[in-house]
Amino acid sequence: MKKKYIALIITILLSVGVYFMFFHKDKSLKYIPKNADVVVMVDVKKATRQYISSFLMHPSKWFEEGEKNDMKISISDSGLKIPDFLQIFHLKNTKISEWYTIFEINNKAKFSTFLKERKFISDGKDLFKNNQLFIKIEGGKCIVGTSDLNFKNIGKPFSQNFRNKVLNADSFMNDGLGSVSFISELRTQNFSIYLKDDEIEIKNEQNSADFESLISDLNKETQFLNVELNSENIKKISSIFKENITDSASVSHLKMSANLSEVNDKIISYGYDDNFNEIEKISYQKIVQPNYEILLQTSNPDKTWNYFQQKKWINAQNQFIAIPFQPNLISKSKNQLSIKSTQKAGKLSETKNQNYIFIKNSPLLFSSFKNLSNPIFKDVEYLFYGNKNLDYTVKIKFKKEKYPLILR
């Protein structure tokens, strides 16, 4: 009888321990500043449960003898307190590439060792940086950012009452592994993040839109890039770059297709021969160049053209210089403006009458953009954005491999 009681007690203790280790969460949010306009959250314990479940479902992973993930080991023993909900935020009126998060420091000695191991160098008092991240220590916490430009502009955190509700993870999270929330003066829009075997999907709550047929059709196209957007989507996306093309330029619809090609670029330099006469030297290098066509539908092409000229986006040769890929030629007709690359214009895909952006991965990307050399980017098959009515979806599809994403 005593053995049964002991077994029961042990079972209860183990159940309580498992609950507190993997399910009980501190949902308080201490460090989201009032001047944040985007918040990305990750449910750390849910991610841990998904990792363990995937690990148990793939026995071959148990016996692999590979290099250990030093980053994971270091973070778990870095001297930082890892919150149950990781809070990453973007500040109003800052570059889209600037993101920050804040951690509490539990052990300064361990944290100092961690910084040295991860090759962070001192950049001033309590400031550290490596090739990718910047860290600022403030008392018992540290701010981690992709930039150090706005450390001083991180505002005070939201009070516990946010829009007349208690501020906690439930204010931003739904049923996903994480969330992306856009905060404005009027409302907060939450989008759930789902991590699947070979894709990451981000969509708003109660999203019933089905884009699979559209994605299948776009994936069969040969173009590297296909875009089709109405005025509302143009407005939302252009606002990221602090522009309002739909209102200012009266653009009602955008369609774009592009391909990548490798071409020989002539390089002319000058030197001197043995008699000190100046000579011309010609050499060639391979460069990646996009071939594209963009159609902008507008009820008033003259207004659109004048707006582009006021912004100095059209030069004397009628080239559209707001995009960095030259040379091109812009022209206008009855109800549209056309922008075409002059070397070889891209062929527009068939009109789908839907709102989407589809980017297909290409090996040529990695030869031209060195910051995409990370293996993570090479494993991506495509990136898709779609909108139907009030439903929004972003999908990042990865190549199928032996293990699901969370185990790679």
Side-chain angles (χ1 to χ4, degrees):
M1 186 65 72
K2 286 184 178 180
K3 290 182 178 180
K4 291 184 178 179
Y5 282 126
I6 293 173
L8 178 62
I9 292 171
I10 291 174
T11 301
I12 292 173
L13 290 175
L14 285 173
S15 299
V16 171
V18 168
Y19 170 75
F20 276 96
M21 183 175 292
F22 296 112
F23 292 91
H24 180 266
K25 303 168 189 175
D26 179 2
K27 295 186 177 183
S28 61
L29 306 176
K30 300 178 181 178
Y31 298 119
I32 297 178
K34 291 183 178 180
N35 58 335
D37 59 359
V38 184
V39 175
V40 178
M41 295 189 60
V42 178
D43 186 334
V44 175
K45 288 193 174 179
K46 191 169 188 177
T48 302
R49 296 199 306 270
Q50 185 171 336
Y51 177 86
I52 292 173
S53 175
S54 296
F55 186 77
L56 294 175
M57 293 292 290
H58 294 82
S60 59
K61 187 73 173 176
W62 307 351
F63 307 104
E64 275 193 357
E65 292 185 5
E67 292 184 1
K68 292 185 177 180
N69 191 321
D70 292 333
M71 177 61 82
K72 288 183 179 178
I73 294 171
S74 296
I75 290 177
S76 64
D77 194 31
S78 63
L80 296 176
K81 179 183 177 182
I82 308 301
D84 292 339
F85 290 90
L86 187 62
Q87 305 148 50
I88 304 166
F89 54 87
H90 178 269
L91 301 177
K92 295 176 184 176
N93 302 317
T94 61
K95 294 179 181 178
I96 193 172
S97 59
E98 294 183 25
W99 295 85
Y100 303 91
T101 187
I102 299 175
F103 294 98
E104 294 180 15
I105 302 173
N106 278 343
N107 188 314
K108 287 192 174 183
K110 280 188 175 182
F111 185 53
S112 178
T113 301
F114 166 79
L115 293 176
K116 292 178 182 177
E117 288 179 351
R118 305 315 304 174
K119 294 181 170 51
F120 280 89
I121 59 173
S122 177
D123 194 35
K125 185 179 180 182
D126 295 328
L127 288 171
F128 301 88
K129 68 177 182 179
N130 64 9
N131 292 331
Q132 298 172 318
L133 297 172
F134 297 82
I135 290 178
K136 181 181 181 182
I137 298 175
E138 289 186 349
K141 65 180 187 291
C142 77
I143 306 171
V144 182
T146 57
S147 168
D148 62 346
L149 296 177
N150 285 287
F151 278 151
K152 63 181 181 300
N153 295 325
I154 295 176
K156 293 182 179 179
F158 281 112
S159 62
Q160 288 304 302
N161 289 322
F162 176 66
R163 302 193 191 283
N164 298 319
K165 295 180 181 179
V166 175
L167 178 66
N168 59 29
D170 293 334
S171 304
F172 302 99
M173 294 283 295
N174 192 18
D175 61 342
L177 188 71
S179 68
V180 181
S181 300
F182 296 87
I183 304 172
S184 68
E185 294 180 2
L186 299 177
R187 61 175 178 164
T188 298
Q189 290 181 288
N190 297 329
F191 297 81
S192 296
I193 301 173
Y194 299 92
L195 179 63
K196 302 179 182 180
D197 284 354
D198 56 7
E199 68 182 38
I200 298 171
E201 189 174 44
I202 305 170
K203 58 185 181 179
N204 56 316
E205 299 171 14
Q206 300 175 341
N207 187 323
S208 59
D210 183 3
F211 293 104
E212 292 306 315
S213 177
L214 174 61
I215 291 173
S216 177
D217 289 343
L218 291 169
N219 204 23
K220 294 173 185 175
E221 302 277 358
T222 59
Q223 289 91 340
F224 152 72
L225 172 68
N226 277 309
V227 180
E228 195 172 338
L229 300 172
N230 64 10
S231 59
E232 188 63 27
N233 279 272
I234 296 171
K235 185 175 182 178
K236 288 182 186 302
I237 293 173
S238 62
S239 66
I240 296 174
F241 305 98
K242 312 303 179 186
E243 294 291 343
N244 192 343
I245 293 178
T246 53
D247 292 342
S248 303
S250 300
V251 176
S252 59
H253 188 268
L254 178 149
K255 184 163 179 57
M256 175 181 180
S257 292
N259 268 321
L260 297 176
S261 62
E262 194 172 53
V263 297
N264 288 320
D265 183 42
K266 181 190 288 188
I267 301 173
I268 300 176
S269 59
Y270 295 91
Y272 296 92
D273 60 17
D274 294 339
N275 297 320
F276 297 100
N277 297 313
E278 187 178 61
I279 57 173
E280 182 180 88
K281 297 180 180 180
I282 298 176
S283 60
Y284 295 89
Q285 66 175 358
K286 295 282 187 181
I287 63 169
V288 175
Q289 181 172 283
N291 304 314
Y292 55 90
E293 182 174 1
I294 305 170
L295 287 182
L296 302 172
Q297 290 186 2
T298 170
S299 59
N300 192 337
D302 289 331
K303 178 182 177 181
T304 307
W305 187 277
N306 291 335
Y307 173 76
F308 288 168
Q309 286 186 322
Q310 289 171 8
K311 299 288 290 185
K312 301 188 185 304
W313 290 351
I314 300 177
N315 64 14
Q317 290 75 41
N318 284 345
Q319 293 180 335
F320 189 73
I321 58 176
I323 54 178
F325 308 114
Q326 303 295 325
N328 61 41
L329 186 66
I330 182 170
S331 60
K332 63 179 177 177
S333 58
K334 183 178 179 180
N335 61 354
Q336 69 182 26
L337 271 68
S338 172
I339 305 168
K340 296 182 180 182
S341 53
T342 55
Q343 297 289 338
K344 182 181 178 183
K347 182 182 178 182
L348 286 173
S349 63
E350 181 184 348
T351 300
K352 312 290 185 186
N353 292 318
Q354 298 193 57
N355 294 298
Y356 62 85
I357 298 173
F358 188 85
I359 304 173
K360 187 183 293 188
N361 206 345
S362 169
L364 293 177
L365 277 175
F366 308 115
S367 61
S368 54
F369 297 99
K370 301 303 181 183
N371 55 344
L372 295 179
S373 59
N374 191 302
I376 293 175
F377 295 111
K378 293 184 178 180
D379 287 341
V380 173
E381 278 192 6
Y382 63 75
L383 187 150
F384 171 82
Y385 161 83
N387 162 238
K388 286 182 182 179
N389 300 318
L390 297 177
D391 293 333
Y392 296 85
T393 297
V394 173
K395 183 177 288 189
I396 306 171
K397 181 74 172 180
F398 291 82
K399 297 174 183 176
K400 286 186 178 295
E401 290 192 7
K402 183 178 180 182
Y403 299 119
L405 280 173
I406 201 165
L407 293 182
R408 296 182 195 175

